[in-house]
Amino acid sequence: MHIPDGFINAPTCVVGGVVAAGLIAVSVRKAAATLDDRQIPLAGLVAAFIFAVQMLNFPVAGGTSGHLLGGVLAAVLVGPWVGSLALSVVFAVQALVFADGGLTALGLNIILMGYTTCFGGYAVFLLVRKVLPKTATAVVGASAVAAWSGVVLASLVFTFYYAVGGTGGAPLGTVAMAMIGVHMLIGIGEAVITALTVSAVLSSRPDLVHGARDLRPALTIQTPAGAPAAGRAR
Amino acid sequence: MKRTPITLFVLLGVGLTLVLAFFVSPLASSAPDGLERVAIDQGFEGQATEHAMATGPLADYSVAGIHETWLSTGLSGVIGVVLCFALAAALVLAIRWVRRRPTVPTA
């Protein structure tokens, strides 16, 4: 979903750059407040993994492909603040080194594929987790639903960009329908990859999954059989 | 409950990531992605302008000078993985470092 230079006009790109810089500054402050040492290698791993998997375009329909955006995955694994920073690194490397995604559109891309999925998708994750039982399976299910939602949300954000500063004169309604339609399919791939990855990390190191932190007390605190101290944890 | 030590966990993760980047990325679909498809169908793909880095040594996930396509793609993936790991870890390390020293020396 990388926007190249030229699709969105210059003023919109400038505003996007300023907004993205502001969001990154907020992420740095928020991340600083909650950082622990383990998040240094984990942030590196999340960025590296998302970079690699973004290269793995999978076919969706009639000569079209899609790739992971990764925001929900990053947010579930390391939290949305560190996650959004890891993703911003990925998009910057892609644009500056691999000529993928325009340089003038970098800010727009960071908001579109990073912050939209990292925060919009993660909000869906938190909502779904509220209605499901507190189990590891529910975390995986919620991450899948959130991952799909994040991609569709990003297709709406692109449509918004196109409405504000799109070039080429395509009718907004058809751009919106086409974007949402194809990304409802691509989102399925996003959901599968996100669920598999979250599930793999949960099975080896559940304590490293930010989005499952609330499961830890229930997993580790042993109470005598029949004691009501376990609270809501079944 | 035996846990994988975090160093081993990260090493295994990076190892798997490198395998994906080197061996699997050359097999990826080269069909237009969702946005490219929409741009083609809606007639605005011609608006895209030349990327300033389009002639760079790693442009479009290939390594300049290596003509074996799968190797070129695979190596570019490995370089990207290493760069992303190093930069993201360095960024978080820098954030923690600054937080631990509220008075940053003005060097």
Side-chain angles (χ1 to χ4, degrees):
Chain A
M1 205 192 270
H2 296 70
I3 306 171
D5 290 320
F7 275 13
I8 307 292
N9 67 22
T12 311
C13 286
V14 171
V15 173
V18 172
V19 172
L23 289 171
I24 289 170
V26 175
S27 287
V28 166
R29 282 175 163 270
K30 292 286 187 178
T34 56
L35 268 186
D36 69 64
D37 286 0
R38 306 184 305 176
Q39 280 178 306
I40 296 165
L42 285 181
L45 179 55
V46 164
F49 183 78
I50 287 172
F51 174 88
V53 179
Q54 282 202 356
M55 285 181 81
L56 310 181
N57 283 57
F58 47 85
V60 283
T64 307
S65 73
H67 65 72
L68 182 86
L69 299 182
V72 169
L73 178 58
V76 170
L77 292 180
V78 291
W81 301 113
V82 174
S84 57
L85 291 174
L87 277 164
S88 299
V89 166
V90 171
F91 298 127
V93 166
Q94 287 171 333
L96 295 169
V97 180
F98 296 94
D100 188 15
L103 292 182
T104 58
L106 178 56
L108 293 177
N109 277 325
I110 286 175
I111 301 167
L112 176 73
M113 294 183 285
Y115 281 89
T116 301
T117 56
C118 232
F119 286 88
Y122 193 64
V124 174
F125 173 82
L126 294 178
L127 281 175
V128 175
R129 283 229 46 209
K130 273 195 178 162
V131 300
L132 292 179
K134 289 188 180 299
T135 64
T137 314
V139 172
V140 174
S143 67
V145 174
W148 183 86
S149 311
V151 175
V152 176
L153 213 53
S155 73
L156 288 171
V157 170
F158 177 82
T159 305
F160 171 73
Y161 290 168
Y162 201 80
V164 173
T167 61
L172 189 61
T174 53
V175 169
M177 293 309 289
M179 277 304 285
I180 295 165
V182 70
H183 287 95
M184 283 170 74
L185 292 177
I186 293 172
I188 297 170
E190 179 97 14
V192 170
I193 296 169
T194 303
L196 286 176
T197 310
V198 169
S199 168
V201 180
L202 271 176
S203 64
S204 63
R205 281 295 297 256
D207 59 310
L208 296 182
V209 180
H210 176 93
R213 285 177 308 171
D214 56 318
L215 298 185
R216 261 184 280 162
L219 287 172
T220 53
I221 295 173
Q222 301 288 320
T223 51
R232 282 186 295 165
R234 277 195 291 175
Chain B
M1 242 193 337
K2 220 177 152 194
R3 296 199 315 195
T4 319
I6 186 153
T7 311
L8 180 63
F9 177 87
V10 171
L11 283 177
L12 287 172
V14 171
L16 171 70
T17 302
L18 287 171
V19 167
L20 289 174
F22 187 73
F23 292 103
V24 185
S25 73
L27 307 173
S29 167
S30 53
D33 77 5
L35 173 57
E36 288 172 291
R37 166 59 58 202
V38 172
I40 293 165
D41 291 350
Q42 305 301 318
F44 64 89
E45 96 274 22
Q47 296 294 320
T49 52
E50 169 95 286
H51 198 289
M53 300 291 142
T55 54
L58 294 165
D60 289 324
Y61 304 96
S62 60
V63 181
I66 297 180
H67 302 292
E68 198 79 43
T69 313
W70 70 269
L71 184 62
S72 194
T73 305
L75 282 180
S76 78
V78 168
I79 294 168
V81 163
V82 172
L83 266 179
C84 285
F85 184 94
L87 290 175
L91 175 63
V92 175
L93 181 65
I95 292 170
R96 198 196 56 156
W97 190 78
V98 169
R99 186 171 68 111
R100 288 218 174 142
R101 300 160 185 242
T103 48
V104 183
T106 49

